[in-house]
Amino acid sequence: MSASIDSQCMEKVVSLCKRRGLIFQSSEIYGGLNGAWDYGPLGVELKRNLKNYWWRVMVHERNDVVGMDGSILMNRAVWKASGHEDTFTDPMVDCLLSRKRFRADQIEPQSGLAFSYSGAVDLSCFEQAFDRATHNRATNVKSEIRQNKNRICSMISDWKVSPDPNYRNIASDLLAEIGKDKHIICEQIFSLLLPRGKPPESARKVAVEFYRQRGVEQPELQEEKQEQLTNTRHYNAENGSLLTEPRSFNLMFKTYVGATEDESSLTYLRPETAQSIFVQFKNILEVSRKKLPFGIAQIGKAFRNEINPRNFTFRSREFEQMELEYFCRPEQGMELLEYWKEERLKFYENIGISRTSLHVRNVPDDERAFYSKGTYDIEYDFPFGRQELEGVAYRTDYDLSQHQKASGKSLEYFDEETKEKIIPHVVEPSAGVDRTVLAMICEAYAEDEAPNDKGEMESRIVLRLHPRMAPIKCAIFPLLKNKEPLVAKAKEIVGLLRPQMTVFYDESGAIGRRYRRQDEIGTPFGVTIDFETLGEKDPALRDTITLRDRDSMQQDRVAISDLVNILTSRLR
């Protein structure tokens, strides 16, 4: 069952990301570049926190995983052997009306009444062409045209094969005249789907617009036909227009290595990070001295020339992947598939994504890659619907076998216990950095009410990011910026905390407003230095501060000497 769509929430998330420096449109001052995004000061910190935590969990806290960092450019032979050059394609369709492009496999089924037309004619221009072709002598035939203005194309076809030579001559002369002006008639078939409840006239308006785009200024629609369709994928849901037939579109970006641009220097920007792991398997096996099962992890950029980038950063043409290739014996594959599925679910919960927002989809046989014996998609309920966050796939020995065959180099593993050589199988958990960042932001976004400086309740936007993921861990506020002792003590605390965590110093505006600014970017803790800190009201409170929690808004009095330990324990 798909998650509900909340476009208003998504608009608020996008607005917040730009307003507070999380994510910007790439090349924005030049109109942007579709499918490319830049991370601002806060966004890059959030992204780095995610990648660092993934690396910590997947590599540093395990004895059976090592890391690598492969190059973006690889020998073209890699992509030939892996099958990417021939098969890394998506089915593409175009909207005949808007000319927008879509992936054919992402068109949602629709039902409704289909209106089809064989073409369109500008009747006034057609009659003028008819008069020129017949020298104004065929008034009886012209009257016939007016009576059948919605089947003119068929009439001309009938005249061409008519037993009456007069009609055949008219057809011949008329077609010659029409051929001089392409704006008179368009014989391109057009169809559109009218959703239930809409009047037929709205379908005709769309068809008229279609033929106007093709040069017929005053289109008279030809031979309208209607047909009830159920669960069809041949129409654009945005405007009802017919789509073209699907055609294959290779997703890899081509580039050339060296001074010449010819077939010999062609290669691609990598569409995934996994292949560099496979081709370096033997080298890493030898230097790491690992035994099966073991894994190789990598975080890096990948590029796909997506047909229709959409949903903010969810589907982009440049993105980062966090991938693990976990090599094992063939008999361990299915068991490890289940193991890594559960490990990855725990990971998402540990970065603040609720288990109730996550869903595991067992990908059916007809949707899996032919070499996969099992694949799970971990999906998240985004505001734009339920979508894949990560794939966990049992890829068998396909990749290593392909590269061994194509390169002629052994990629076998020698088992010391059994004294046999095998090509290891592999289980691959593959996550998108950008998708996960977006999921964290969507999960954390909330609106509630909080008291202002006067004690009145007002609305606030808050990002309830997990503390370990938050771009800024703690904000430090002197109560008043014109009181030097307060400012000096606040800067002293900044110096105390900065070696341990990312901090932000803010002395501008009312304290409540400063809290709101930090709530909006997900800062989990705020430290306020006030007159109690200086011991002016109560000497017992000297060198204590107010520690505020973002989510509960609770404020506790804490000794400065205990602050580092308290914060670091809450940030783990």
Side-chain angles (χ1 to χ4, degrees):
M1 181 178 177
S2 297
S4 59
I5 307 297
D6 189 349
S7 56
Q8 189 176 30
C9 176
M10 195 63 218
E11 289 172 4
K12 292 177 179 179
V13 166
V14 173
S15 174
L16 174 67
C17 285
K18 180 175 181 180
R19 186 173 70 252
R20 299 314 305 269
L22 287 158
I23 302 170
F24 304 120
Q25 173 75 59
S26 175
S27 316
E28 185 176 345
I29 63 172
Y30 291 102
L33 179 65
N34 193 17
W37 304 91
D38 296 336
Y39 286 79
L42 294 176
V44 73
E45 292 295 333
L46 178 59
K47 195 175 184 183
R48 187 173 297 279
N49 289 343
L50 170 65
K51 292 191 289 184
N52 288 346
Y53 183 67
W54 186 91
W55 198 261
R56 182 181 121 192
V57 170
M58 301 293 278
V59 182
H60 290 168
E61 295 181 357
R62 301 183 66 97
N63 292 322
D64 57 351
V65 176
V66 295
M68 72 163 288
D69 186 6
S71 64
I72 288 172
L73 296 177
M74 301 175 71
N75 192 305
R76 181 184 179 185
V78 172
W79 307 112
K80 288 184 176 181
S82 67
H84 283 77
E85 187 168 89
D86 294 328
T87 63
F88 196 65
T89 61
D90 276 340
M92 179 175 67
V93 292
D94 295 342
C95 173
L96 290 178
L97 184 65
S98 68
R99 296 181 173 85
K100 286 180 67 174
R101 287 180 170 169
F102 304 93
R103 274 178 54 175
D105 57 342
Q106 292 178 344
I107 302 297
E108 293 294 327
Q110 302 174 76
S111 299
L113 189 62
F115 286 71
S116 301
Y117 302 93
S118 63
V121 175
D122 187 322
L123 191 58
S124 175
C125 293
F126 181 82
E127 288 184 343
Q128 293 173 26
F130 181 85
D131 289 340
R132 291 193 299 271
T134 61
H135 306 286
N136 294 311
R137 294 175 185 163
T139 54
N140 59 324
V141 179
K142 191 173 182 179
S143 174
E144 185 181 346
I145 290 171
R146 289 173 177 170
Q147 291 174 4
N148 296 276
K149 63 180 182 179
N150 296 118
R151 54 177 308 273
I152 289 174
C153 295
S154 293
M155 287 178 60
I156 296 174
S157 296
D158 293 341
W159 294 346
K160 287 165 63 178
V161 294
S162 172
D164 187 336
N166 292 324
Y167 277 110
R168 294 200 301 273
N169 291 335
I170 290 174
S172 177
D173 294 341
L174 180 58
L175 289 172
E177 194 65 38
I178 290 173
K180 299 175 184 178
D181 187 350
K182 295 181 180 180
H183 299 100
I184 296 176
I185 188 168
C186 175
E187 293 187 86
Q188 184 176 349
I189 294 173
F190 180 66
S191 176
L192 66 140
L193 191 68
L194 188 69
R196 291 187 178 93
K198 283 198 172 185
E201 194 54 40
S202 64
R204 295 176 187 124
K205 286 182 180 178
V206 174
V208 165
E209 176 60 26
F210 171 81
Y211 287 111
R212 277 183 179 152
Q213 289 180 2
R214 280 144 187 83
V216 183
E217 292 186 10
Q218 298 296 325
E220 194 69 51
L221 301 175
Q222 298 293 294
E223 299 180 87
E224 178 180 284
K225 295 179 181 178
Q226 300 180 16
E227 180 184 5
Q228 192 68 43
L229 298 179
T230 304
N231 293 330
T232 176
R233 298 177 185 268
H234 297 301
Y235 297 88
N236 182 359
E238 296 175 0
N239 55 25
S241 170
L242 182 68
L243 300 168
T244 61
E245 287 297 314
R247 60 195 186 279
S248 292
F249 175 79
N250 195 293
L251 298 175
M252 292 197 293
F253 282 100
K254 290 182 179 180
T255 190
Y256 295 90
V257 178
T260 59
E261 293 189 7
D262 56 28
E263 193 72 9
S264 65
S265 62
L266 174 66
T267 190
Y268 304 92
L269 301 184
R270 67 181 181 190
E272 64 177 26
T273 61
Q275 296 305 318
S276 59
I277 296 177
F278 295 129
V279 299
Q280 291 293 353
F281 168 76
K282 197 73 171 182
N283 285 334
I284 293 174
L285 176 64
E286 290 175 357
V287 299
S288 65
R289 298 168 60 197
K290 294 292 182 183
K291 293 184 177 181
L292 292 180
F294 78 97
I296 304 173
Q298 180 173 202
I299 298 175
K301 289 271 190 181
F303 306 83
R304 294 180 187 177
N305 194 11
E306 293 284 352
I307 294 168
N308 185 27
R310 66 191 189 285
N311 292 330
F312 198 27
T313 59
F314 177 80
R315 190 173 297 281
S316 305
R317 291 186 168 119
E318 177 183 341
F319 54 95
E320 275 191 280
Q321 290 182 308
M322 304 180 290
E323 288 195 318
L324 171 69
E325 305 304 326
Y326 197 75
F327 300 95
C328 62
R329 293 179 177 84
E331 63 271 17
Q332 297 174 306
M334 293 306 294
E335 179 185 348
L336 286 170
L337 176 66
E338 298 297 324
Y339 167 80
W340 280 112
K341 177 195 70 176
E342 294 302 321
E343 287 295 299
R344 299 307 300 144
L345 287 169
K346 290 177 194 174
F347 174 85
Y348 288 111
E349 292 183 80
N350 289 337
I351 61 172
I353 297 178
S354 168
R355 184 67 178 83
T356 58
S357 300
L358 296 169
H359 308 274
V360 176
R361 178 174 177 260
N362 192 344
V363 180
D365 293 352
D366 60 337
E367 294 182 32
R368 290 200 311 263
F370 69 90
Y371 51 77
S372 171
K373 278 194 174 181
T375 300
Y376 289 116
D377 283 348
I378 297 175
E379 299 177 327
Y380 173 74
D381 290 332
F382 288 95
F384 46 82
R386 185 173 299 170
Q387 296 288 343
E388 180 188 346
L389 198 57
E390 173 167 348
V392 183
Y394 175 24
R395 299 175 68 121
T396 66
D397 61 352
Y398 172 78
D399 299 279
L400 290 180
S401 295
Q402 286 293 105
H403 288 302
Q404 177 171 284
K405 179 181 177 182
S407 68
K409 305 292 175 58
S410 172
L411 295 177
E412 294 175 315
Y413 171 87
F414 180 71
D415 192 320
E416 293 285 353
E417 295 178 6
T418 63
K419 305 300 180 183
E420 65 177 353
K421 291 183 177 180
I422 63 168
I423 294 181
H425 284 218
V426 66
V427 175
E428 176 194 74
S430 176
V433 175
D434 307 88
R435 290 185 179 189
T436 306
V437 167
L438 182 59
M440 287 195 297
I441 295 172
C442 292
E443 183 76 9
Y445 183 89
E447 297 177 10
D448 62 12
E449 290 191 334
N452 60 19
D453 294 322
K454 299 178 181 179
E456 301 168 345
M457 298 302 288
E458 62 182 14
S459 62
R460 74 162 179 163
I461 294 173
V462 56
L463 273 187
R464 302 187 192 277
L465 293 166
H466 192 290
R468 67 164 63 98
M469 291 293 113
I472 296 169
K473 309 303 184 187
C474 186
I476 293 95
F477 314 116
L479 186 63
L480 297 172
K481 68 177 181 179
N482 57 359
K483 294 292 182 181
E484 182 56 34
L486 292 177
V487 172
K489 182 61 74 171
K491 291 184 177 179
E492 179 185 317
I493 294 173
V494 169
L496 176 69
L497 295 180
R498 182 159 279 158
Q500 311 296 327
M501 64 195 72
T502 50
V503 297
F504 184 81
Y505 175 82
D506 189 359
E507 60 180 28
S508 176
I511 193 69
R513 188 165 297 174
R514 284 182 268 173
Y515 285 153
R516 298 295 171 273
R517 287 199 291 259
Q518 294 303 311
D519 291 343
E520 199 173 44
I521 61 174
T523 305
F525 304 110
V527 168
T528 303
I529 294 84
D530 51 25
F531 292 105
E532 282 85 350
T533 309
L534 303 178
E536 293 187 5
K537 294 186 177 181
D538 184 349
L541 296 178
R542 180 183 295 275
D543 288 334
T544 65
I545 49 84
T546 299
L547 179 62
R548 176 185 180 268
D549 181 85
R550 175 199 66 206
D551 296 336
S552 67
M553 293 180 283
Q554 179 177 327
Q555 300 186 20
D556 299 315
R557 205 74 201 173
V558 172
I560 294 175
S561 59
D562 296 331
L563 188 57
V564 171
N565 289 336
I566 291 172
L567 290 177
T568 52
S569 67
R570 296 184 186 181
L571 291 171
R572 290 196 183 105

